[in-house]
Amino acid sequence: MNSSYENGKKLFQETDEAGIQGVITGLSDVSPHISRYIIECFGQLFSRPVLTYQQRETVVISALISLGDTPNQLKWHMNFGLKVGITPNEIIEMATHCIPFCGFPRVLNAVGVAKQLFAEQNIEAHIEDELLHHVEERRQRGLAKLREIDGEHGEAVADSLADIAPLLAEQIIDFTFGEIYSRPGLSAKQRQLVTLGALTAQGGCEPQLHVHLHAAVRAGLTREEAIEALLQCSPYTGFPKVLNAIKVAKEIFVTH
């Protein structure tokens, strides 16, 4: 076997040997090659030092939440995330952060998957509505956070909506930045990893990826880390969506 396979096998032995053995057994009768591909992908991606295991699983969990139709795989990766150091609270915050990018129904489904996983393992998540008593401040908070995260790119998006969909501009400022981005459960870098995973999984969000790749660098990710986050999506979203995302990254990071 090649080195990627051996690296992947070692990773699974260290983190979830029973889980991957179940995958291998389930595929052995009709498609044993797919289990090899899975192990090789893990071995190839996770052996790259650009992102930590926690960062990689942050991207994967967010991409699967955004896809919305992979509950079994989402549960597996939430569990894998716990094994590599992501906290239960962070998993719920990742789901919460996906709301502006993939909508409430997919996030509600993801929270249901997390609740099932936590119940099976007797895990408690302690999430609070920290901003409940500060709703009246969210416009000011949202404008400040928009400038902090997206800079002129975010303000340009909001301004472009003023004459045709001012309500949408208000929602982006008040809800996305005044509420979601202002919650304390994730760092700015974690939030941008979630955003990159969610937008890549959605597909067709290249203008938004353009804004949020800039935001990722503003939040403290290096260009290499931001690109690696896009690459991490390929086994879960497919190559076409990642190719489109990489094209946006190339426009930003290579030609400018």
Side-chain angles (χ1 to χ4, degrees):
M1 289 293 180
N2 58 43
S3 60
S4 293
Y5 183 91
E6 294 302 325
N7 289 337
K9 185 177 178 181
K10 183 175 183 291
L11 171 64
F12 283 124
Q13 287 173 338
E14 294 172 349
T15 54
D16 193 11
E17 185 172 9
I20 194 57
Q21 189 58 51
V23 172
I24 293 172
T25 301
L27 294 171
S28 62
D29 55 344
V30 294
S31 51
H33 55 294
I34 294 180
S35 66
R36 175 168 63 84
Y37 297 158
I38 291 170
I39 294 171
E40 286 179 347
C41 280
F42 263 81
Q44 185 179 56
L45 287 172
F46 277 79
S47 64
R48 292 169 60 84
V50 182
L51 296 176
T52 66
Y53 287 3
Q54 293 96 325
Q55 289 174 317
R56 290 186 184 281
E57 280 305 305
T58 295
V59 174
V60 174
I61 291 168
S62 305
L64 293 176
I65 290 171
S66 190
L67 287 173
D69 56 358
T70 58
N72 293 336
Q73 291 73 27
L74 177 58
K75 184 179 179 183
W76 193 94
H77 280 282
M78 285 180 172
N79 186 48
F80 190 84
L82 293 172
K83 288 177 180 291
V84 299
I86 296 174
T87 69
N89 279 27
E90 287 173 331
I91 286 176
I92 298 301
E93 285 294 339
M94 290 173 195
T96 303
H97 189 85
C98 285
I99 293 171
F101 306 106
C102 67
F104 284 104
R106 291 177 181 178
V107 169
L108 288 172
N109 290 343
V111 170
V113 171
K115 288 180 66 176
Q116 183 184 42
L117 175 64
F118 296 166
E120 291 172 359
Q121 299 191 19
N122 295 315
I123 292 172
E124 292 186 9
H126 302 281
I127 304 293
E128 297 182 9
D129 189 355
E130 293 93 345
L131 303 179
L132 174 63
H133 302 296
H134 304 280
V135 174
E136 71 283 353
E137 301 170 8
R138 61 184 176 188
R139 171 54 61 86
Q140 181 180 359
R141 191 169 59 231
L143 287 169
K145 186 63 70 172
L146 176 64
R147 286 190 291 269
E148 174 191 336
I149 299 297
D150 284 351
E152 62 183 21
H153 300 282
E155 293 181 12
V157 171
D159 291 344
S160 71
L161 297 169
D163 60 346
I164 188 169
L167 176 59
L168 182 56
E170 290 179 12
Q171 290 173 326
I172 290 172
I173 295 169
D174 294 356
F175 179 68
T176 302
F177 290 94
E179 287 284 342
I180 300 300
Y181 265 92
S182 296
R183 289 181 56 78
L186 297 173
S187 69
K189 289 172 67 173
Q190 286 175 305
R191 291 192 179 280
Q192 286 312 121
L193 287 172
V194 173
T195 302
L196 294 179
L199 289 176
T200 301
Q202 285 287 298
C205 297
E206 285 72 36
Q208 291 73 32
L209 269 172
H210 189 279
V211 171
H212 284 284
L213 281 166
H214 279 290
V217 174
R218 289 176 64 89
L221 291 170
T222 66
R223 295 179 178 185
E224 291 75 16
E225 288 170 337
I227 292 169
E228 192 74 13
L230 305 181
L231 297 178
Q232 181 67 32
C233 292
S234 59
Y236 311 98
T237 66
F239 290 112
K241 290 178 180 178
V242 173
L243 285 169
N244 290 341
I246 289 295
K247 182 179 179 181
V248 178
K250 184 176 181 179
E251 292 172 356
I252 296 171
F253 298 144
V254 176
T255 60
H256 293 290

